[in-house]
Structure formats: C-alpha cells, structure tokens
Amino acid sequence: MIKRLFFYTTFIMLIGLISFFAVSLYITHTNNIKFAKDTVMEAARICAGMYSDEVDDYSLVGIGNDIRITIVASDGTVIAESRRQAATVSESYLTRPEIQAAAAGNPDAFIRRSESFGINFIYYALKTDFGNDYVFVRAAMPIANIDTYLYQSLPLLVILLCVVVVLCSVLSHAIINRITRPFESIEANLRLLSRGVYEPGNITGSYEEVNQITQSIDDVSNILQTSLNDLREERNKLDYILNSIGDGLFVVDENMNIALINAAALKFFDAGADVTGKNINYLVYDQTLSGAVAGCVVQEKNSVFELTLGGRIFFAAVKRLPDTTLSMVVMSDVTDVRENAKMREEFFANASHELKTPLTAIKGFNELTAANNKDDKLNKFIDSITRETDRMLTLISDMLKLSELENAKTINPVPVSLAKITGEVLDVLSSTISEKELVIEFAGDAEVMAEQSHVYELVKNIIENSVRYNNNGGSLSILVESDRQGSRLLVTDNGIGISPEEQTRVFERFYRVEKSRSQKNGGTGLGLSIIKHICLLYNWNLTLKSKLGVGTEVIVEF
Ligand code: ATP
Ligand code: MG
C-alpha cells in the first residue's frame, strides 16, 4: 500500500510541477511576444514619423541592436535596411504579409521566417506618405531574442524541477510512512485478535487524527478481545456442563443436521465427534426419533416418547428452541429405573400372593376357634385377631388390585351405569353413612365403557374417602354429568380437606395424611393409588381439589 501511495503521490506531483512549469513558460513566452509586438509597432511608428529622403542604411543602424528597420518603396524595392548584412532579396517586398496589411490600411504584426537571415522574426509595417508617393516603414525583431532569457533559464528551471520533485518525494514518503505505520501495527494486532492473543498497545507516533482513529480501533479491539475471551470461557463452561451431564443432548438445525451434541449422546449412539454437521440419520436410523425431530423442525411440534436403542430404554423429549430454527433432543436412559420398577411390582405382586394364603388360613382357624370357644376371656383376643386379619386381607386385596392394574395387558370394556355402581357403593357404605349422620345428595347417570370391577373400585374408593374423612353430620354430593364433551363424576364433601402440600402426595402408595386417623378409619393409603391407576388405564382425567378444613372435590372425566 505504501509503495502504491508513494507512486501515486509522486506521479501526481510530477504532473503538477511539469504542468506548472509548462504553463509558466507559455505565459512568459506569450508576454514576451506581446512585448516584442508592442516594441516593433512602436519602432515602426517612430521611424515612420521621422522618415525623410535622407534616411539611409547607416542612419537606421542607430535605432537599436535588436530591432531591424527596413524602408520599402511603393514598388516593393528596399530603400534602406538597418541590417546591412541582410542577404539581398531580388523579389518585390510587396508580397510580404506585413507590407500587404499596411498597404490595405490594416497594419498588423506577423511572425515568420526571414528569408534574408533564415531565422524567425516578428514584423510590423506602416504605410507613410512621402511627397506624391509613399513608402513602407517596417520594423522587425528576431523571435530568438524575445525568449533568450527564457531559454537561458530553462536548464536552471529543469534542475529546480528535479530538486523539487526529489524533495517532495522524500517528504511524501515520510508523511505516508507516518500515516500508515500505525495501521500496520493495528493490522498485525487484529491478526493476533483473530487467534485470541491480542495485546492492546498504545499505538501512537502519527498525526493526531490518525492517532485518534488507531486508538479507537485499539479500544474496540480490546473490547472485542474481552468479549471473545468471555464467550470462549462461557463456551468452555457450557461444554463442560453439557459433557458432564448423564443425559444425552443434541441440537439439530432446520436441515436436520446436528449442530451440537454432548458426550453422553455420542455414547448412547456409539458415535464419534465427527457427526457434528451431519444429518441425524448419520447418527442413528430410527423412525420414531427422526419422525419426532422432523415434526419439531417442520411444524415446531414438541414431543416426548420412549425409544429403545441397543437394548436400552430411553425417555426422549424433542423441543423447539425459542426464537431459533434449532430443535433440541434430550434423552434419559431409563432402563435401570424401568427394571427396578418392574422388580418392585413383581415383588409387590408375589408378596401379596404369598401373604394371602396363610392369612386366609389364619382367618379360617380363628373362625373355627371362635365357634368352639367356651372361654369368654378368649373372645376379646379372637375379636382382635378377626379385626386385624380382615384389615390385612383388605390391604393384600388392594395390593393385588394395584398389581393387576399395573400389569393389565388387555381390558374387556362393557357399558357400565355410573348411577347403578354408585347405588351399590352407597349400600355397602350405608352403616358408616348413618353412623356419621351424613347428608347425601346423588343425581345424574351416564354409561361408561369399562370393566365393571374397575368402575366399582373407582367409585367406591372416591366415595369411601369422602365418607371416611368427613365430619359427623357432614354432607356429600355425588353428581354424574353428561354433555357433548363426555360424562364426568363429581364427588364433593365438606370434610376435613387436604392441605396443598399433601395434595401432591396423596396419590403415592401407602401415603396417608394423618396416619393415626387413617388407621383408626381403617385406611391403608392405597385407595387413591388404585383410583389413579384405573384412570391411567382408561386415559380418564382425574382432578382433586381440596381446601383444608373446608372440603374436597374429586372429578373424573371419562
Ligand atoms: P385406603 O383408601 O387404601 O383404604 P386411605 O383412604 O388412607 O386408605 P387413600 O384413599 O389413598 O388412602 O387416601 C390417602 C390419604 O388422603 C388419606 O389417608 C387421607 O388422609 C387423604 N384423603 C383422601 N381423600 C380425602 C378426602 N375426601 N378428604 C380428606 N382427606 C382425604
Ligand atoms: Mg381411601
């Protein structure tokens, strides 16, 4: 850049200086001509005024060294000539343009080559009367004389021109250097910035304005470097976090190419880091996964699903990242969780089965003992055994129901009347209801498609809770509604209610709010779990609304 700048400035300078000298020479030359013209005109006029028949070559010599005077007779012959050494010209002078102009009454100056001397002269002639005749008085001056000084000073001017050019070149080189040097430093620093090793420096040594610009660039670079460092640090942190988490995570762009993938995901797919930038199918060919990702990429549809890869079960979620064209997939390996749950369920089912047989035997033997007992003192113990074995059998029966619901593979739905089932439940619970003097309101009916035993368990557990956890003299409302959206069961009581913190836990197995009270009421904490599982089995919507000390409402939307 410096070389080019230097070349251009020197070239422009040279053109400028040459033009300046050329114009100056031209103006000086023109002025000289004008001056010469005035001089010859003046000389011609004076000589014309002084003309007499005594004028001869010798008298004309005194007029001046540079000026040549020629007296031409009306017939064109030369009467007198101040330059006696002029070659004699035989032809008539009347053909000369200055003589013709004078003869025509329009005297003017003419520059032409002199035939007598062989050099360029400026000529001017005047016609002056003499007696009955007339003569032409002609003054002339050699052009070479006019520009003599100009020609003499030309070498000096050329030397001056060269000196000025050299001086200007040196000066412009120094100035260009001074202006551009800081930019070279900035350029080198910016290169360092791109490699992340920028070192801010006080770049000065140029003109104030340039220093200000370079300083501003330096400041901006400094801010950029800091931001880049921060970004790099954030990126490293993010990479560290992403690669530390056990869940697999990857992000795809609008072309379903992988934009980012963490270590866990690479492990799940048994892939190398080179998958970044490649299509999702390069990672794994799984229709469920690519279908869900395509749905998210094309229709911005978020989804959750299960996936089996290499014998392991994954819970996957596909989500569109807000304000981007990117979609994120998060995968959790739930194989162990599933296996544990399966083992627990199996244990639950097996233990219930194993306990039911001996308990039934104990109950039988107890009944036998009661029938044959003659000792009144033992009756108290026999009653206790009866109560406890009944409680345990109920518990085992609930546990088995839960296992059945969890493992239910097929269901045989039939139309079931909700009013009929509710009636049966109320019959079963009638003694407790009258004991507690509860006011029951029951209205509506609808048929649902389900297994009768499941509907019975559902309705029984909901109403049983509302009876069990109600106050004496409380009320209970059972409503069956039906409209275009479907049918629903609403069971509302004004019992003890459940606090908001407990509401989320009551659906857990064996969870009871007040253990002693539930136990006294005969509760085992499995009722709401059974309700939840029945609803899950049929995809029914279950809602529990409750306020402590006010009451509870359970809604099942079929
Ligand atoms: P089970 O129903 O197995 O005989 P349980 O009634 O104790 O026993 P759940 O039906 O699962 O168990 O209920 C769990 C707990 O939720 C109960 O112990 C009780 O504290 C609370 N609960 C349930 N329904 C109501 C209700 N309608 N009003 C107040 N508390 C309730
Ligand atoms: Mg219950």
Side-chain angles (χ1 to χ4, degrees), residues 466 469-471 491-504 506 513-514 517 543-554:
S466 289
Y469 306 107
N470 214 324
N471 304 309
V491 180
T492 319
D493 65 64
N494 63 351
I496 57 171
I498 313 165
S499 68
E501 311 85 66
E502 305 283 356
Q503 281 173 34
T504 51
V506 287
V513 176
E514 269 184 84
R517 184 168 177 160
T543 323
L544 184 141
K545 297 175 190 168
S546 189
K547 205 165 179 193
L548 203 61
V550 176
T552 306
E553 182 182 34
V554 177

Side-chain angles (χ1 to χ4, degrees), residues 423-433 456 460:
E424 286 172 22
V425 170
L426 287 174
D427 278 350
V428 173
L429 297 171
S430 57
S431 59
T432 327
I433 290 168
Y456 182 82
K460 190 201 95 184

Side-chain angles (χ1 to χ4, degrees), residues 203-224:
I203 300 163
T204 51
S206 187
Y207 300 97
E208 202 188 327
E209 292 81 356
V210 178
N211 284 344
Q212 274 172 7
I213 294 169
T214 52
Q215 192 55 52
S216 301
I217 295 173
D218 198 47
D219 290 346
V220 172
S221 309
N222 217 350
I223 294 166
L224 260 176

Side-chain angles (χ1 to χ4, degrees), residues 398 461 464-466 468-469 493 496-498 506 511-514 518 522-529 552:
D398 281 352
N461 275 298
E464 194 180 48
N465 280 350
S466 289
R468 200 182 267 171
Y469 306 107
D493 65 64
I496 57 171
I498 313 165
V506 287
Y511 189 84
R512 288 163 296 171
V513 176
E514 269 184 84
S518 301
T524 55
L526 286 174
L528 282 172
S529 292
T552 306

Side-chain angles (χ1 to χ4, degrees), residues 5-15 165 168-169 172:
L5 265 178
F6 176 67
F7 173 76
Y8 286 141
T9 48
T10 311
F11 181 71
I12 291 166
M13 220 156 49
L14 205 66
I15 298 275
V165 167
C168 287
S169 304
S172 81

Side-chain angles (χ1 to χ4, degrees), residues 376-434:
D376 284 349
K377 278 188 240 164
L378 282 178
N379 278 342
K380 206 173 82 187
F381 301 113
I382 291 166
D383 286 348
S384 291
I385 294 169
T386 309
R387 208 172 43 247
E388 289 308 316
T389 43
D390 281 349
R391 221 177 76 78
M392 281 183 80
L393 278 169
T394 314
L395 172 67
I396 287 163
S397 150
D398 281 352
M399 284 164 70
L400 283 170
K401 274 176 212 154
L402 253 181
S403 301
E404 271 170 36
L405 286 169
E406 277 171 345
N407 297 311
K409 301 231 159 47
T410 49
I411 37 176
N412 302 308
V414 288
V416 183
S417 157
L418 285 170
K420 190 173 162 268
I421 296 287
T422 309
E424 286 172 22
V425 170
L426 287 174
D427 278 350
V428 173
L429 297 171
S430 57
S431 59
T432 327
I433 290 168
S434 42

Side-chain angles (χ1 to χ4, degrees), residues 136-149:
F136 294 102
V137 177
R138 189 183 75 168
M141 197 172 163
I143 289 293
N145 287 4
I146 296 169
D147 289 330
T148 305
Y149 291 118

Side-chain angles (χ1 to χ4, degrees), residues 66-78:
D66 287 341
I67 297 177
R68 174 185 167 197
I69 301 291
T70 312
I71 308 293
V72 180
S74 56
D75 60 357
T77 55
V78 174

